[in-house]
Amino acid sequence: VNRFLRASVALHVAAACSVAVRRRTWRVAAGAVLADQLLLTGAGMVPTCDWLGPNLTRLPPGPRLRQVGLSFDDGPDPLVTPVVLDLLDGAGMQASFFCIGARARRHPALVGEIVRRGHRVENHSEHHRWHFACLPLHALRREILLAQQVLGELAGRPPTWFRAPMGLRSPLLQPVLEQTGLHLASWTRRALDGVRGDAAAGSARLLRGLAADDLLLLHDGNCARTSAGRPAVLEILPELLGALRARGLCGVALPDPGDARPF
Ligand SMILES: [Zn+2]
């Protein structure tokens, strides 16, 4: 448990003790507890915040290579994922695929194909519930363990990274991840290609200020459509891969937590 959560527990205990000893302090104690709860909730609503536990937002430290992490969320999707795989093959680059367990069950061969092409499969929960950050402990654990089991079986290797649906989470998540041997990953910059169909804006969001070791987030599932009806990611990705190559950057998957960068 990190310093922020420990301080938060200490504050709750102190507030309870204070009220037990002197009832009149209840107003101050309740105010402090409420403020702390708001802070905890706020921290969980900022995807790249690390107050609730370790949270990878860039490639881990390693040799000074010109690499960026590529990640795709919400797949596998039978129409989009194969095209993404072909585009990555064409560029000779690798990526991490944060798959939804229930979708992997529907398209098991696609998970195998992701691995066969040299990419990594990671955990993005079983159902990608919109209220994931509000789930009670047992439901939260179930969302993570169900996906962990099926993805491990289909990929031939248990995922080592977890990404929360929409990046939103509660203080309950970190203990569950620790029990499961998973580590939280978010991103440095994202295309927002799951919600906005403007491919040019999506590319610009990824490329503006792009630096080595950035971790990029795109979607091969739940894709927003361009005005022409195409999944935005299929217009963003060719441009991104070309721009990476032009800048001498290579897209890679996330290495296992704690591993030296194996590249
Ligand atoms: Zn997602």
Side-chain angles (χ1 to χ4, degrees):
V1 177
N2 70 5
R3 250 178 296 166
F4 182 69
L5 289 184
R6 226 177 287 157
S8 176
V9 171
L11 183 138
H12 281 68
V13 172
C17 292
S18 146
V19 174
V21 175
R22 292 187 63 184
R23 292 217 170 257
R24 272 186 305 163
T25 62
W26 75 269
R27 252 182 253 268
V28 175
V33 165
L34 180 67
D36 184 65
Q37 290 288 334
L38 286 174
L39 212 57
L40 283 171
T41 306
M45 296 301 115
V46 180
T48 52
C49 174
D50 66 356
W51 290 5
L52 301 180
N55 181 3
L56 190 80
T57 57
R58 315 174 54 73
L59 285 179
R64 293 181 63 81
L65 295 174
R66 302 225 4 115
Q67 296 179 333
V68 295
L70 295 179
S71 64
F72 295 86
D73 282 13
D74 295 7
D77 179 283
L79 296 177
V80 178
T81 307
V83 186
V84 167
L85 291 176
D86 286 346
L87 289 168
L88 289 171
D89 268 357
M93 297 190 195
Q94 252 82 54
S96 294
F97 287 79
F98 286 83
C99 294
I100 297 174
R103 289 196 179 158
R105 287 171 209 279
R106 282 203 292 278
H107 311 290
L110 268 179
V111 178
E113 188 61 11
I114 291 171
V115 176
R116 198 183 68 74
R117 306 268 196 116
H119 309 289
R120 304 294 292 257
V121 170
E122 307 292 357
N123 188 331
H124 196 38
S125 83
E126 178 66 18
H127 296 104
H128 204 275
R129 304 228 185 265
W130 65 269
H131 59 301
F132 178 83
C134 307
L135 291 177
L137 188 58
H138 69 277
L140 184 70
R141 192 177 282 135
R142 200 176 136 76
E143 273 295 299
I144 293 168
L145 287 181
L146 281 176
Q148 187 71 1
Q149 187 196 347
V150 67
L151 295 173
E153 269 167 30
L154 295 175
R157 174 197 79 94
T160 52
W161 295 101
F162 178 80
R163 184 174 280 150
M166 285 87 68
L168 310 180
R169 65 226 186 269
S170 75
L172 298 177
L173 177 62
Q174 184 54 29
V176 175
L177 292 185
E178 277 170 26
Q179 288 163 6
T180 320
L182 283 163
H183 298 252
L184 184 70
S186 53
W187 55 82
T188 317
R189 51 191 83 242
R190 54 178 164 173
L192 291 178
D193 55 337
V195 286
R196 296 183 197 165
D198 184 345
S203 303
R205 238 176 254 121
L206 294 177
L207 292 171
R208 198 179 303 125
L210 180 73
D213 296 345
D214 281 0
L215 174 52
L216 307 185
L217 164 60
L218 300 96
H219 285 78
D220 65 329
N222 290 334
C223 304
R225 305 273 156 170
T226 64
S227 52
R230 284 196 86 210
V233 64
L234 298 185
E235 297 202 354
I236 295 172
L237 190 55
E239 191 181 342
L240 173 67
L241 296 173
L244 291 182
R245 174 165 296 184
R247 297 179 191 194
L249 289 161
C250 185
V252 298
L254 285 179
D256 275 335
D259 265 17
R261 304 251 295 268
F263 309 104

